[in-house]
Amino acid sequence: MKRRSSGIPGLDGMLGGGFPNPSTILLGGAPGTGKTTLAVQSLFHGAKNGENGLYITAISEPAWLVQNFLSSFEFYDREPIEKEIINFIDLGQTMMKRPDMILETIMKTIEKYNPDRVVIDPITPIRDLLQWRGEMREFMHQLFAYLKGLNTVSIITAELSYDDISSSLEGYMADGLIILSYPEVNGVRRKLLEILKMRGTDHTTGRQLLEISKNGVAVQPGLR
Ligand SMILES: Nc1ncnc2c1ncn2[C@@H]1O[C@H](COP(=O)(O)OP(=O)(O)OP(=O)(O)O)[C@@H](O)[C@H]1O
Ligand SMILES: [Mg+2]
């Protein structure tokens, strides 16, 4: 099986060598647990090997804000952005004005940039809007079917709790399910990462300690 290194210290070992390629990975967790950092760090890692990365967001804050926030991390590098190896695309306007066009726009954007790694961060506002329109299930089925047909690692982030994620449609459809959490244990809050599923590979189970520092995120397998 082909793999793409995650670029997250400690995670490739847990995954048996990296993200299976192709694969669709749902990265779930509450706000502030590190989803964006992990996903974007993986794009920058891929760019070092010449892999194209595409970051798609639909939150109303423009993509430059995300870049601005991310620029404090050591893995952040302007060069792959200037060379358009990594592209940040904001589909917030499409989502607000033409929610019926969101799937088509995502697919056209992916076709345009032909990425090796795709991040959709977060899927939650699109999901909620389409759920309200009664189009969420159809959208998810089509999006996942489309992504599975590509030669990419697709990371889709979602604000889903442990309880939501295992019963969610996208959790069921994704090849891989990674959840980040921030529980209080004995009066201390710890960031944790757990691989709930990864089709086609053996992987470490159980919650592992996740560190966030200026170097980005890192997993410390075995430490809890
Ligand atoms: N330099 C740093 N050192 C340590 N921790 C940091 C640093 N920069 C950010 N963090 C931590 O990372 C968190 C933000 O992570 P990130 O934005 O990736 O989370 P997220 O899951 O995408 O959140 P959201 O759901 O709000 O988008 C901050 O809340 C903070 O705890
Ligand atoms: Mg985020």
Side-chain angles (χ1 to χ4, degrees):
M1 183 199 288
K2 204 183 154 197
R3 307 238 180 200
R4 291 192 198 274
S5 168
S6 66
I8 311 302
L11 186 56
D12 285 356
M14 289 176 69
L15 290 165
F19 294 129
N21 184 72
S23 63
T24 54
I25 293 156
L26 188 69
L27 178 62
T33 46
K35 302 180 296 296
T36 300
T37 311
L38 190 158
V40 176
Q41 189 172 335
S42 178
L43 291 185
F44 278 98
H45 179 74
K48 280 196 217 156
N49 304 320
E51 292 177 27
N52 287 334
L54 176 62
Y55 176 94
I56 297 174
T57 188
I59 42 174
S60 39
E61 62 188 292
W64 67 260
L65 214 150
V66 179
Q67 291 181 42
N68 219 27
F69 142 72
L70 288 165
S71 62
S72 63
F73 288 109
E74 304 247 297
F75 62 77
Y76 183 87
D77 180 7
R78 279 222 60 85
E79 193 177 308
I81 297 172
E82 277 158 12
K83 290 187 173 166
E84 298 185 6
I85 293 169
I86 299 177
N87 290 279
F88 288 81
I89 301 297
D90 179 15
L91 299 184
Q93 290 296 318
T94 304
M95 191 184 76
M96 298 316 288
K97 289 181 186 155
R98 291 299 303 271
D100 57 313
M101 293 285 287
I102 191 77
L103 179 67
E104 198 183 324
T105 310
I106 291 173
M107 295 192 319
K108 279 197 172 142
T109 306
I110 292 173
E111 268 153 40
K112 178 177 172 189
Y113 293 100
N114 191 25
D116 302 298
R117 300 179 191 233
V118 176
V119 171
I120 303 178
D121 178 44
I123 197 77
T124 316
I126 302 174
R127 177 190 213 279
D128 292 350
L129 182 69
L130 295 184
Q131 180 136 40
W132 182 76
R133 291 167 57 91
E135 296 163 0
M136 191 276 283
R137 297 185 73 84
E138 177 76 11
F139 167 81
M140 287 297 175
H141 277 294
Q142 291 191 4
L143 176 67
F144 276 82
Y146 174 73
L147 293 173
K148 279 172 202 274
L150 304 174
N151 186 30
T152 64
V153 168
S154 306
I155 300 178
I156 298 170
T157 76
E159 267 170 36
L160 289 170
S161 71
Y162 259 96
D163 292 340
D164 301 336
I165 210 155
S166 40
S167 59
S168 71
L169 181 65
E170 51 272 54
Y172 163 73
M173 285 188 299
D175 300 317
L177 204 44
I178 299 177
I179 187 152
L180 308 183
S181 57
Y182 198 21
E184 195 177 310
V185 183
N186 299 331
V188 182
R189 232 173 236 294
R190 287 167 185 272
K191 287 197 161 94
L192 302 173
L193 176 148
E194 182 172 11
I195 303 172
L196 292 180
K197 87 168 169 187
M198 198 60 62
R199 285 182 185 138
T201 185
D202 195 12
H203 61 82
T204 306
T205 54
R207 297 179 200 193
Q208 313 290 337
L209 201 61
L210 185 77
E211 274 188 353
I212 309 189
S213 70
K214 64 174 179 18
N215 298 318
V217 301
V219 192
Q220 302 208 323
L223 261 182
R224 272 182 250 180

